[in-house]
Amino acid sequence: MSSVLVISDAEFETEVLKASQPVLVYFWAPWCGPCRLMTPIMDHLATVYADRLKVVKMEVDPNPEAVKEYKVEGVPALRLFQNGTVVESSEGALPKPKVEAMVAPYL
């Protein structure tokens, strides 16, 4: 059973860009109400797809480099990376079926 990995700007290259499997990056903030709705979905994905998908969580305020680089304008935000490149992107809260549909083609 896997869990969501909490990372910072310093770990972004190693954990996301150099990952051998697809990586779903969840940008969030503690003051964000809709982020609270997304957290259980991220936990679910990290558990169910642990063998095929890495799920990482980044708080936006202490990690301005990744936020700027990947143009995160609002939270919650999702960026799906494959081979170091963003292949899917979303901002705002999404229901679990939409998030699963977003990642499914890359699993």
Side-chain angles (χ1 to χ4, degrees), residues 25-71:
V25 181
Y26 165 47
F27 291 95
W28 73 288
W31 43 260
C32 164
C35 293
R36 289 188 198 97
L37 301 172
M38 296 298 292
T39 298
I41 296 170
M42 296 301 111
D43 292 339
H44 170 79
L45 293 174
T47 302
V48 173
Y49 301 113
D51 59 332
R52 297 172 280 165
L53 177 72
K54 181 190 283 191
V55 180
V56 300
K57 182 175 176 178
M58 289 192 79
E59 187 177 341
V60 292
D61 294 330
N63 296 297
E65 291 173 27
V67 168
K68 182 179 177 189
E69 178 71 24
Y70 298 101
K71 299 175 179 54

